[in-house]
Amino acid sequence: DPNVQIGVTATGQQVINTSGELHLERCLRDLRTTFAPGIDFKVSEPLIGFLETIVPQLNRAKQAEMDAEKDRAKKNNEEDGEGLTAEDAWERKKQTEEKTKDEAFVVTRSTKKDTFLVKVRAVPLPFFVAKALQDKQSTLNDLLNGNEGKTREEDAQSGLEIARSIVAKALKHEDAQKEKRFYQVFPSFDSSSLMMIGPDRAGPNLLLNCTKRPLSSFDPQVSNAIHTAFQMAVEKGPLCEEPLIGVALAVLDVQMAKEMDGEKILSGQLIQVVRDAFKEAINIHESRLVEPMYLVHLHCNDVMLRRLYAVIGKRRGRIITEDVIEGTQTFVVKCYLPVERSFGFASSLRARTSGMASPQLVFSHWEIIPEDPYFVPTTAEEKEEFGENANLKPNLARSLMDGVRKRKGLPVEELIVQHAEKQRTLARKK
């Protein structure tokens, strides 16, 4: 079957990649009846791949630290600006706040003896740029990973030029000017500053050179360390170690000591310093999960339309269009459905509509889940709406994140005992 891909995880489990739920059921049935009839194997729940991204907001810990710094700066300004006019004092306060906020996103890391220093920053990439890179991912993968029959250097260079042209063309999108945050950080963005894309050298994340130095001026050891650290940083996100999407990592400054007292910096040290800087720059922002979405086509008559909507709404579906075929009572409905909630959708829909509706599912796009997985109510309004510990309303992003973390064997913050005072010990029967 050319549509089936087989892989092996790090734990030794066999993974079967299929084109849908029905295809997976057919493959498992063929294994049990034809290809491996005498082998007893266990099948897990279907695995859904997620992505992670960042939003232009400081995380809660960094925001609290910044608020404390702002209070100290305000106090110093009041002491230093006693002789200023009200307008000058306001302008000075505004400049201080903007500078403090802008510097909060910059991360500086160095080796123990300060022989190597790097300054980086992470910026959310406009999502239409990430989508443009994803659409050309197969072509970029063939070129950047040397699968086109040319030399590896020629393929890598031509692939990088294609990636630069894709980014430059995508930034001319009609919604590009709405991405104010990106253009505040890069007011005069030039696609020639693109050093690499990732993960796997062909993903929807950018590594940018913002040092005002040409790429050729970097030491080869430093350049290789930055490239390797970038691939490691975007391969596993902070939430549940899923790949990142829509993140631009900018290298703002690189300094290497000329005199190192006879000591030589190892490549592993450089990679570790740059990787930790990239990771910290990503963790400063609030993170979000990104889930895959299906585009579903449905045909149904007007009698079963209400039941159809009930099934879609129960699975977090979102109706796009609803049209009626002229001369008939048949409705054509299009909706978006999360892949995570698509398993059992066809059978549930047929059972609910008495077999009068059947879906056709096609992968559509990736969509950001707006909920913060680590949301904790702080203000009085939030505590009134969500409760003291945000346990009145289920956190979708947190439940999905915990599910992936459990599957990967990562630690999960989960209370085994929710209400200890309500538990009691049953008496022993003698």
Side-chain angles (χ1 to χ4, degrees), residues 160-305:
L160 188 60
E161 292 298 331
I162 293 176
R164 288 172 177 170
S165 64
I166 292 173
V167 173
K169 185 177 180 181
L171 287 174
K172 296 179 182 179
H173 192 273
E174 57 183 5
D175 296 332
Q177 298 304 322
K178 297 179 182 179
E179 300 291 336
K180 297 181 180 179
R181 187 63 184 167
F182 184 79
Y183 285 103
Q184 284 175 358
V185 181
F186 308 111
S188 56
F189 178 78
D190 186 5
S191 60
S192 62
S193 62
L194 178 61
M195 299 171 64
M196 179 176 278
I197 59 177
D200 298 328
R201 303 174 63 89
N205 304 285
L206 308 183
L207 174 62
L208 304 176
N209 173 25
C210 300
T211 60
K212 298 181 180 179
R213 293 162 52 190
L215 300 178
S216 57
S217 65
F218 283 98
D219 185 270
Q221 187 181 14
V222 175
S223 178
N224 292 335
I226 293 175
H227 290 173
T228 305
F230 167 73
Q231 296 295 337
M232 296 171 68
V234 299
E235 186 178 9
K236 295 181 179 180
L239 294 179
C240 49
E241 295 188 355
E242 292 288 278
L244 289 173
I245 181 175
V247 179
L249 290 171
V251 180
L252 304 179
D253 190 17
V254 176
Q255 297 179 11
M256 176 80 81
K258 296 181 180 179
E259 298 180 1
M260 293 182 284
D261 299 329
E263 294 184 7
K264 184 179 180 181
I265 302 179
L266 301 177
S267 300
Q269 292 176 298
L270 298 179
I271 294 172
Q272 183 178 1
V273 170
V274 182
R275 183 199 62 190
D276 292 346
F278 283 149
K279 292 274 189 181
E280 186 177 345
I282 293 170
N283 292 338
I284 284 176
H285 294 76
E286 286 193 355
S287 300
R288 297 288 186 270
L289 271 182
V290 186
E291 64 176 347
M293 302 291 288
Y294 276 136
L295 176 62
V296 185
H297 296 260
L298 296 156
H299 288 76
C300 180
N301 60 18
D302 56 347
V303 178
M304 296 295 176
L305 196 60

Side-chain angles (χ1 to χ4, degrees), residues 139-146 152 155-156 159-160 163 197 201-202:
T139 303
L140 292 172
N141 186 51
D142 291 338
L143 289 171
L144 292 170
N145 291 308
R152 189 175 183 84
D155 282 342
L160 188 60
I197 59 177
R201 303 174 63 89

